[in-house]
Amino acid sequence: MTLTGTTADECIEQAQQTDADMVEHRIDLMIQTNDIERVYRECTRPIVATNRPSPPGERRKGGERRRIGLLLDAVYAGATHVDIELDAPRSSLDRVIDAAREAGCEVIVSRHFYDRAPALPELLSVWIQMQQLGADIAKIVTMPRTLQQATRVLSLYTHKGRSSGDLIAFGMGPVGKFTRVAALYMGAPFMYVCQSDGQEVAPGQLSLSVMRGIVEALS
Amino acid sequence: MTLTGTTADECIEQAQQTDADMVEHRIDLMIQTNDIERVYRECTRPIVATNRPSPPGERRKGGERRRIGLLLDAVYAGATHVDIELDAPRSSLDRVIDAAREAGCEVIVSRHFYDRAPALPELLSVWIQMQQLGADIAKIVTMPRTLQQATRVLSLYTHKGRSSGDLIAFGMGPVGKFTRVAALYMGAPFMYVCQSDGQEVAPGQLSLSVMRGIVEALS
């Protein structure tokens, strides 16, 4: 479940109040980042550190250097997983991956296609790049407009050439919603959910309770 | 939604009481079949006529000849779809398919693997045979024991060589349950559900209300 607090205190409170098996800390949603390490020290569940870059045109204090610095703080403070974008600068990728290896933290290499659903060869090429970087988990997210496009991202799970390593592949938006459930059954080690309806941090994200309801109905 | 009545009256009552978009009439669950045509005449929804053969060792009155006769009665009385097994005798297949063509009824050619989940080449070969027979809908159902086996049957929807014609492919049992939902999004024209919990006619079948709840949560 994604923590959406803007301060360490808010994030810690959210993490303490949820009974999710795992949480994701979105550092980029914070307004105060001076004591983010506390979130990781006080969290008793597996916790993914994520710090998405600012959208083009919007600049955050410190830029890329500061962004990666915060991720490294999270890794050294006890994050169990760290998320780094495939298209981040090579130096960022190297620093995060090296730090994670040293700290015994799992590396999620991610690629989001916010406005399109690439064809299979492009998806496969992205996946291979992630594996070559040594990702423990490859996260590939698309924006399907048709059920065929949504199904395409799921086809990665049944791809013949599938090699080792975990894969989290799904589609966003209304058309992709079902893939968030299907992915969980097709091989994804976990799925991203929000605290409650209206708290989505990505289009089509399900809430923890809705996802649990579906999983229970299917058990 | 599957009608499980043992008489025409019971089936008609079930069909009138449900608000499912479509119903399936399981002729083989009936005790009295003397007036089955009424079910089809009085049903205002699309209705699938199904008459599964008896399990080995158990014989029903009239055998295969009678079984097909009842299916033909259903077709001529107004069934919108008729289900015939791929491994039925060739004469049965021919008679049902010819009658359906004549009556403007869609043909579902089905194959159930009640105790195993065949490998992909076998699934593809089954599918091709169904297409060669001229099935409007190919129905392929397996019994997966692992998530990998469950995912395999879904891979048919993303198969490169997929040609025209509708496909209903899913897995039964506890492990296959999620495929009954995923199939609906991956291309299946409809999914089989039961009237309510405890009324399942196949392992892992969801009830209409549970399926609707999931579809609503994913909409």
Side-chain angles (χ1 to χ4, degrees), chain A residues 147 151 155 158 177-178 181 185-186 206 210 214 217-219, chain B residues 147 151 155 158 177-178 181 185-186 206 210 214 217-219:
Chain A
L147 284 176
T151 299
S155 75
T158 63
K177 229 164 179 179
F178 87 95
V181 175
Y185 289 93
M186 295 179 78
L206 300 172
V210 166
I214 294 176
L218 295 178
S219 72
Chain B
L147 284 177
T151 299
S155 75
T158 63
K177 229 164 177 176
F178 87 94
V181 174
Y185 290 93
M186 294 178 80
L206 300 171
V210 165
I214 294 175
L218 294 178
S219 74

Side-chain angles (χ1 to χ4, degrees), chain A residues 112-123 140-153 170-172 175-176:
Chain A
H112 293 73
F113 298 91
Y114 288 105
D115 57 359
R116 63 192 182 99
L120 196 57
E122 185 172 350
L123 294 176
I140 302 174
V141 186
T142 71
M143 180 61 86
R145 308 288 173 187
T146 63
L147 284 176
Q148 202 186 2
Q149 289 177 356
T151 299
R152 189 195 292 154
V153 70
F170 62 91
M172 294 181 291
V175 179

Side-chain angles (χ1 to χ4, degrees), chain A residues 69-98:
Chain A
L70 289 169
L71 268 184
L72 299 181
D73 289 347
V75 168
Y76 291 124
T80 54
H81 298 72
V82 63
D83 183 312
I84 182 73
E85 299 76 20
L86 180 65
D87 54 4
R90 183 67 206 218
S91 60
S92 300
L93 273 160
D94 287 344
R95 286 180 69 199
V96 168
I97 293 173
D98 289 350

Side-chain angles (χ1 to χ4, degrees), chain B:
Chain B
M1 191 207 78
T2 302
L3 308 176
T4 54
T6 58
T7 64
D9 282 336
E10 280 178 18
C11 291
I12 291 166
E13 203 188 328
Q14 287 180 352
Q16 282 169 345
Q17 282 174 358
T18 184
D19 62 345
D21 299 318
M22 200 170 170
V23 294
E24 179 194 31
H25 180 218
R26 284 285 299 268
I27 302 171
D28 51 300
L29 300 181
M30 296 184 91
I31 291 168
Q32 288 173 32
T33 51
N34 52 313
D35 58 352
I36 70 153
E37 292 96 329
R38 273 184 39 233
V39 179
Y40 297 85
R41 290 209 196 93
E42 299 194 14
C43 190
T44 54
R45 275 171 252 275
I47 176 165
V48 182
T50 303
N51 196 11
R52 297 266 171 256
S54 308
E58 193 183 301
R59 269 184 69 106
R60 261 204 312 267
K61 203 175 73 181
E64 179 68 6
R65 202 181 170 84
R66 170 93 177 131
R67 182 175 89 89
I68 299 305
L70 289 169
L71 268 184
L72 299 181
D73 290 346
V75 167
Y76 290 124
T80 55
H81 298 71
V82 63
D83 183 313
I84 182 73
E85 300 76 21
L86 179 65
D87 54 3
R90 184 67 206 218
S91 60
S92 300
L93 275 158
D94 288 344
R95 285 180 70 198
V96 168
I97 293 173
D98 290 349
R101 292 278 168 267
E102 203 179 308
C105 167
E106 298 223 343
V107 176
I108 303 171
V109 179
S110 63
R111 178 75 166 90
H112 294 72
F113 298 92
Y114 289 106
D115 56 359
R116 64 192 182 95
L120 196 57
E122 186 172 349
L123 294 176
L124 289 173
S125 148
V126 160
W127 192 10
I128 290 165
Q129 288 176 61
M130 289 170 174
Q131 289 176 331
Q132 286 170 344
L133 282 166
D136 297 300
I137 298 176
K139 182 182 180 192
I140 302 173
V141 187
T142 71
M143 180 61 88
R145 308 288 173 188
T146 63
L147 284 177
Q148 203 187 2
Q149 290 176 356
T151 299
R152 189 196 290 154
V153 70
L154 290 181
S155 75
L156 292 175
Y157 292 103
T158 63
H159 194 264
K160 260 192 189 168
R162 182 164 185 196
S163 53
S164 61
D166 277 325
L167 173 69
I168 301 181
F170 61 91
M172 296 180 289
V175 178
K177 229 164 177 176
F178 87 94
T179 65
R180 293 179 181 267
V181 174
L184 204 50
Y185 290 93
M186 294 178 80
F190 56 82
M191 186 44 61
Y192 293 78
V193 295
C194 61
Q195 191 174 24
S196 55
D197 287 345
Q199 294 283 307
E200 297 86 357
V201 295
Q205 198 176 37
L206 300 171
S207 70
L208 176 61
S209 66
V210 165
M211 182 66 96
R212 280 218 171 126
I214 294 175
V215 169
E216 198 175 311
L218 294 178
S219 74

